[in-house]
Amino acid sequence: MAMIGLRYVVAAPQKEAGQTVTYDKGFVVGRAMKADIKINTSDAKLYGDDVVVESDRSFTDGTVDIGVTQMTEDIQSKLLGHSVSEEGGEIIANSDDVAPYVGLGFYAPKLENNVKKYRAIWFTKVNFGEPSESLATREGSTAFVTPSMTGSIMADAAGNWKKEQTFLNEAEAKAYLDKLAGLNTSE
């Protein structure tokens, strides 16, 4: 399988009630540029008679670094827990702000045996932190600087940390993510 792109980064606030996890009021984060995913696993081994007799490589946590072409003040506030002034889009970051847990998803076109398919990925519980920024003067030509944010991937109350499905067409992949995010596309 060869991944050949990345599209449609969406997120939604997470609601946990016991073992049930739901999402609603989903939103498009921005036009996708990158998604760097790093999953950490436990690496425990049980030795007996000088050899490994059992091992465990279970999910522990992970990170996802999302890059988009542009991120509005409203989207930043939804991912970081900041407020936005009503007068003109001013972000107000307070030291007491708490970034909410969100579900995060996107899909990636891929080629599999010369057939184009769409792999949709949904992380069930992500917590984003303040992005690092690097700004520079224009030195004779324009260089685009685009936003990226890193989030911690965790297991939700049910123990799930990822949902994934591959579809034969793009519309199905998008509809899958819309449904998971509680994204109402008719608004």
Side-chain angles (χ1 to χ4, degrees):
M1 136 185 73
M3 305 306 291
I4 56 172
L6 178 68
R7 299 179 186 165
Y8 199 60
V9 180
V10 295
Q14 181 194 61
K15 296 181 180 183
E16 288 188 9
Q19 294 290 313
T20 304
V21 179
T22 59
Y23 309 89
D24 69 355
K25 300 182 183 174
F27 51 92
V28 176
V29 175
R31 295 183 71 111
M33 291 182 62
K34 72 171 184 164
D36 294 328
I37 304 160
K38 183 177 186 307
I39 302 302
N40 300 313
T41 58
S42 65
D43 192 11
K45 295 178 182 173
L46 174 65
Y47 289 86
D49 291 337
D50 296 330
V51 297
V52 175
V53 292
E54 296 285 345
S55 69
D56 177 45
R57 293 193 58 98
S58 302
F59 169 84
T60 56
D61 63 2
T63 57
V64 59
D65 187 34
I66 294 293
V68 294
T69 57
Q70 140 174 211
M71 194 177 299
T72 67
E73 290 83 3
D74 183 52
I75 298 301
Q76 288 181 54
S77 70
K78 289 177 181 179
L79 293 175
L80 298 172
H82 300 323
S83 59
V84 177
S85 71
E86 294 182 23
E87 297 84 43
E90 176 185 38
I91 295 176
I92 302 166
N94 187 285
S95 60
D96 291 331
D97 290 346
V98 176
Y101 294 125
V102 297
L104 177 76
F106 42 83
Y107 66 88
K110 66 179 185 173
L111 280 178
E112 192 173 291
N113 295 322
N114 209 30
V115 175
K116 194 170 192 179
K117 296 181 181 181
Y118 299 86
R119 177 182 174 210
I121 299 170
W122 179 260
F123 293 109
T124 63
K125 187 175 184 179
V126 178
N127 185 247
F128 284 96
E130 289 292 328
S132 296
E133 292 185 281
S134 177
L135 306 173
T137 189
R138 198 166 78 180
E139 298 174 355
S141 64
T142 301
F144 289 106
V145 177
T146 57
S148 68
M149 294 180 75
T150 301
S152 297
I153 300 169
M154 298 166 261
D156 64 20
N160 301 318
W161 62 274
K162 179 175 78 166
K163 294 181 179 185
E164 181 177 328
Q165 191 167 346
T166 298
F167 298 92
L168 293 176
N169 69 60
E170 190 170 6
E172 289 176 334
K174 186 176 177 191
Y176 173 79
L177 292 172
D178 286 348
K179 182 178 178 182
L180 286 171
L183 186 64
N184 185 352
T185 56
S186 64
E187 290 181 355

